[in-house]
Amino acid sequence: MTDKNKEARHIPQTGFFGHPKGLFTLFFTEFWERFSYYGMRAILLLYMYAEINSGNFDIDKSTALSIMAIYGSLVYMSGIIGGWIADRLFGTTKTVFYGGVLIMIGHIILALPGNFTALLASMFFIVIGTGLLKPNASSIVGDLYSKEDARRDSGFSIFYMGINAGAFIAPLIVGTIGENYSFHLGFGLAAIGMFIGLIIFMLTKKSFLGTAGSQVPNPLTKENRKLVLGRIGVGLLIIIILAAIGITTGILTIELFILIVSFLGILIPTAYFIVMYRSKKTTDVERSRILAYIPLFIAAMMFWAIQEQGSSILTDYAANRTQLELAGFTIPASWFQSLNPLFIIAFAPIFAWLWLKLGKRQPSTPKKFSFGLIFAGLSFIVMMIPAMNGTESLVSPLWLVLSYFLVVIGELLLSPVGLSATTKLAPAAFSAQTMSLWFLSNAAAQAVNAQLVRFYDKDTELMYFGILGFLAIGLGILLFILSSKIQRAMKGIL
Ligand code: GLU
Ligand code: ASP
């Protein structure tokens, strides 16, 4: 194991707004990676709809909505693979680089006109690539600072701004070009974005990151390497053979694939919890913390289930139910996806100020989660109002603006504390995997979404928003009632 604290001393400690220069490298790498990801997501549903309408894709629209969800789920699930590869094979910086290359290849595939299989191939590259890049880029941010460094939290906040700045401009650029000119050109811009990110990473990593992320923390020994890689190879081979047989015989349909991912999305976090709870390395205090973390994880799941429907259900809503003609200008439906990151950038500083001002009087983590969930629920409840007058006429775009505003208030209450709560509540023996564990709440959410979104259409709209909205609010209230109990089980963690 490397000593991260010692390592931090070999990293240029200033040079980027009073932060280590390496933050510049990671900020812009993640900015461009998120630009490519959210740019692609801004138009993917609309692209699939267009291909369905022209007869090029032989799926129906509800399957397209499910694909948006399993795609998102797999992207966050694959973080486990990325964490393992960095930890045992390549170290974080190399893994980030390989991830970026795979992501770029994925977008290039979509930039070329192709069929449904090409979409699946592109998904494969982006899923694995993001799993390699995203969690590892975040974990290098942590490595830039020694444990005692007071700048650590603000470093993560700056990084979070980078994520959302990329997510903000992506729909405006990729969306506009994609919707008004050609979807493939849009995907091409996403590929260019990732390429720029990779260039910045390569050019600055040596001098800015220093030794951060260059070591392999827990390398496989020579003998182990053969054994483990051999087993992985055999496992992969079996999966490929099964998939090939499944596809050729027609047993493995896209519907079955969606179902498998939905199961995995729930199974993997459940297995994580069981393994952590039963591990001999886990102490009694840590066991109590794991139990306290479960309701928070479920709350996070419910939150992301609503938040992540921005690129699926709310984009369908923007395209089909919203008045987009404004004074002779047609708003591209994809633009609405810029609202979430825009509001995040605008309001994150206000929340940071609020917590600072409230100091010890600020709500506990379980209470923040509960408020976060209630706001997410409200963001769907307000969407019931325009549906009350029937669903035949187009509605004002301001409904979507209001909905995005509410979900972002929830996001700011829940997401920034989520990762830190995970790091504090996960047992020490599992600390390397906490980043993956937190992303699994999003993966599980989207795994469930893959089944939920099928129930959405014009006729069910009112019920759909209503049931999910009230469910989130109900869970939020339950969490509030349980919050002191959960707080006690957290054993001294705030
Ligand atoms: N919007 C966040 C991002 O892309 C969400 C990730 C999460 O699940 O925490 O980084
Ligand atoms: N707010 C999201 C995240 O933090 C970005 C988005 O949904 O567009 O990255």
Side-chain angles (χ1 to χ4, degrees):
M1 289 273 166
T2 47
D3 182 343
K4 295 260 157 100
N5 256 358
K6 248 195 218 150
E7 195 182 305
R9 273 180 239 133
H10 297 286
I11 298 165
Q13 280 294 299
T14 51
F16 184 57
F17 296 110
H19 280 266
K21 267 188 190 161
L23 191 60
F24 170 94
T25 305
L26 298 164
F27 181 99
F28 284 106
T29 309
E30 181 64 345
F31 171 94
W32 285 112
E33 184 270 329
R34 290 286 94 183
F35 170 89
S36 69
Y37 180 71
Y38 283 112
M40 174 275 294
R41 288 218 36 114
I43 54 172
L44 187 60
L45 184 77
L46 303 169
Y47 165 67
M48 285 194 276
Y49 280 3
E51 295 290 37
I52 292 170
N53 288 341
S54 69
N56 191 20
F57 284 5
D58 185 21
I59 53 172
D60 52 33
K61 289 192 176 173
S62 70
T63 304
L65 287 167
S66 287
I67 289 176
M68 291 300 291
I70 52 155
Y71 195 170
S73 178
L74 286 167
V75 154
Y76 288 118
M77 236 186 260
S78 65
I80 302 173
I81 303 173
W84 188 87
I85 290 182
D87 223 27
R88 315 224 56 183
L89 291 178
F90 301 134
T92 23
T93 20
K94 263 197 200 145
T95 311
V96 165
F97 175 75
Y98 295 142
V101 173
L102 294 180
I103 292 171
M104 195 175 68
I105 296 174
H107 291 301
I108 291 174
I109 296 178
L110 276 187
L112 309 167
N115 54 14
F116 188 62
T117 315
L119 170 65
L120 294 181
S122 136
M123 252 173 86
F124 172 80
F125 281 102
I126 293 171
V127 162
I128 303 291
T130 314
L132 297 189
L133 190 150
K134 190 170 175 16
N136 287 314
S138 313
S139 86
I140 314 177
V141 175
D143 295 348
L144 294 177
Y145 307 88
S146 64
K147 269 216 169 95
E148 310 76 40
D149 198 325
R151 297 172 302 173
R152 199 188 175 86
D153 280 0
S154 84
F156 270 104
S157 304
I158 295 174
F159 185 71
Y160 185 51
M161 286 295 153
I163 291 178
N164 281 284
F168 166 63
I169 63 161
L172 302 180
I173 298 175
V174 177
T176 312
I177 301 294
E179 282 193 68
N180 293 341
Y181 298 95
S182 127
F183 286 115
H184 296 295
L185 201 58
F187 295 126
L189 287 175
I192 293 174
M194 191 62 256
F195 180 66
I196 300 174
L198 273 172
I199 299 276
I200 295 177
F201 186 72
M202 287 314 286
L203 289 181
T204 61
K205 92 173 180 318
K206 217 179 177 153
S207 50
F208 287 9
L209 286 180
T211 51
S214 56
Q215 280 97 344
V216 185
N218 185 14
L220 282 176
T221 56
K222 258 213 175 107
E223 315 81 71
N224 255 346
R225 212 180 165 101
K226 259 198 197 137
L227 189 78
V228 174
L229 294 185
R231 276 190 194 159
I232 294 177
V234 172
L236 277 179
L237 202 67
I238 294 177
I239 293 178
I240 292 172
I241 293 174
L242 283 180
I245 296 176
I247 294 170
T248 42
T249 54
I251 297 173
L252 184 61
T253 56
I254 185 74
E255 265 70 27
L256 181 63
F257 180 62
I258 291 169
L259 200 64
I260 294 173
V261 176
S262 291
F263 274 119
L264 281 181
I266 301 296
L267 207 69
I268 294 175
T270 311
Y272 247 83
F273 279 111
I274 295 177
V275 169
M276 285 195 301
Y277 193 83
R278 298 187 50 176
S279 163
K280 284 202 186 79
K281 293 180 192 150
T282 305
T283 64
D284 285 344
V285 169
E286 287 176 330
R287 278 207 181 94
S288 166
R289 288 185 181 145
I290 294 175
L291 293 183
Y293 186 61
I294 293 173
L296 299 183
F297 188 89
I298 294 172
M301 247 179 91
M302 181 78 230
F303 174 81
W304 291 119
I306 289 184
Q307 195 270 8
E308 289 286 356
Q309 290 188 34
S311 58
S312 55
I313 300 298
L314 295 191
T315 299
D316 181 306
Y317 195 91
N320 300 314
R321 291 273 291 115
T322 309
Q323 178 57 261
L324 296 174
E325 308 288 334
L326 267 188
F329 174 76
T330 310
I331 313 169
S334 54
W335 278 17
F336 288 88
Q337 289 174 69
S338 283
L339 287 169
N340 172 310
L342 175 68
F343 286 141
I344 294 267
I345 296 167
F347 295 111
I350 299 178
F351 274 85
W353 170 83
L354 187 69
W355 302 146
L356 212 62
K357 189 152 168 66
L358 287 177
K360 284 212 165 89
R361 283 174 300 138
Q362 63 180 287
S364 63
T365 301
K367 285 211 174 96
K368 282 184 187 161
F369 267 61
S370 121
F371 298 145
L373 205 47
I374 292 172
F375 274 101
L378 288 176
S379 81
F380 266 26
I381 298 296
V382 293
M383 295 308 290
M384 293 174 75
I385 305 171
M388 295 204 177
N389 298 328
T391 50
E392 285 319 308
S393 54
L394 296 177
V395 308
S396 161
L398 291 177
W399 289 110
L400 279 174
V401 177
L402 178 62
S403 176
Y404 274 110
F405 169 76
L406 289 167
V407 88
V408 164
I409 300 300
E411 189 165 340
L412 287 168
L413 283 158
L414 185 145
S415 168
V417 274
L419 183 61
S420 83
T422 313
T423 27
K424 289 181 214 153
L425 291 173
F430 295 85
S431 66
Q433 284 118 317
T434 48
M435 199 76 73
S436 321
L437 185 61
W438 171 244
F439 285 138
L440 281 181
S441 67
N442 192 321
Q446 299 204 62
V448 176
N449 275 357
Q451 303 306 318
L452 286 181
V453 291
R454 294 178 166 270
F455 294 99
Y456 174 86
D457 74 44
K458 249 189 187 175
D459 305 323
T460 56
E461 188 185 301
L462 185 69
M463 284 258 283
Y464 185 88
F465 287 128
I467 291 178
L468 286 181
F470 282 117
L471 185 65
I473 293 178
L475 274 180
I477 294 173
L478 186 65
L479 191 63
F480 187 86
I481 297 170
L482 292 175
S483 60
S484 343
K485 222 176 163 179
I486 297 173
Q487 188 68 47
R488 250 176 284 133
M490 283 162 67
K491 304 276 179 208
I493 302 267
L494 289 177

